Amino acid sequence: MIMRFLLCCGLATVALSTQAMTLYKSTDANGEVFFSDRHTPGAQAFVIQERRIERVKRPVRELPMPSYPQQAYRYPFPWRGGPFRLSQGPNGSFSHTDAKSRYAMDIAMPEGTSIIAARSGVVVKTENNQAGRGNDASGNFVRVRHDDGTEGVYLHLKQGSVSVRVGQRVGLGTPLALSGNTGNSSGPHLHFVVQRATEAGLVSIPYEFNQPVGTLPNFALGN
Ligand SMILES: [Zn+2]
């Protein structure tokens, strides 16, 4: 009986440590059952399969808010002239409330201010023909994909002022367009946002200018 127990333990060990093997069950003259990995006449074959491991399904948990590593790059001001001031900052209650624009900054400036690339990259999308509010809340814009995959987007530009084309490589300071007041804009300003493509679409990521920007209180209901 003890032998049989030990044999069973041995079998269990074999089953755990192999993917698949064949064992032969025989009964000796005394009626004792034994197992061997060699075939003997009259033995009964058992194929021991790899143990199947069922993955335990865990309850779906709500994903935590993604954390964004602090960007090493500090953006120079994407305009010439000034000084201009922030009219709505990150998480501004007027329009910086969704994933695409949460960390955008609005800088109030006169229409026709020269907008320049704040970081080098390749122009991947532009809009240049929108008059006034138009159909697109972004108005006219230039989208530049940086070498690290993030994208800088310059919005509400003046109709007909975009001076770069899709596929063009731009360097820091390359003129892109003139500022305007097109799309969903409550006054002449530049909306500058840095985004990253995710499975859920484009999301705005935090960024910082390389120098302080003053704020305009109570403009555009922003923060
Ligand atoms: Zn904005």
Side-chain angles (χ1 to χ4, degrees), residues 21-26 34-46:
M21 70 176 293
T22 304
L23 284 178
Y24 300 95
K25 178 185 177 186
S26 304
F34 65 93
F35 293 86
S36 169
D37 60 354
R38 293 186 182 178
H39 180 259
T40 52
Q44 185 183 357
F46 289 89

Side-chain angles (χ1 to χ4, degrees), residues 85-88 94 106-109 185-189 215-223:
R85 293 197 285 177
L86 192 73
S87 55
Q88 187 186 190
F94 178 65
D106 289 340
I107 295 92
M109 61 184 66
S185 176
S186 59
H189 78 285
T215 56
L216 276 175
N218 300 322
F219 183 90
L221 310 176
N223 295 325

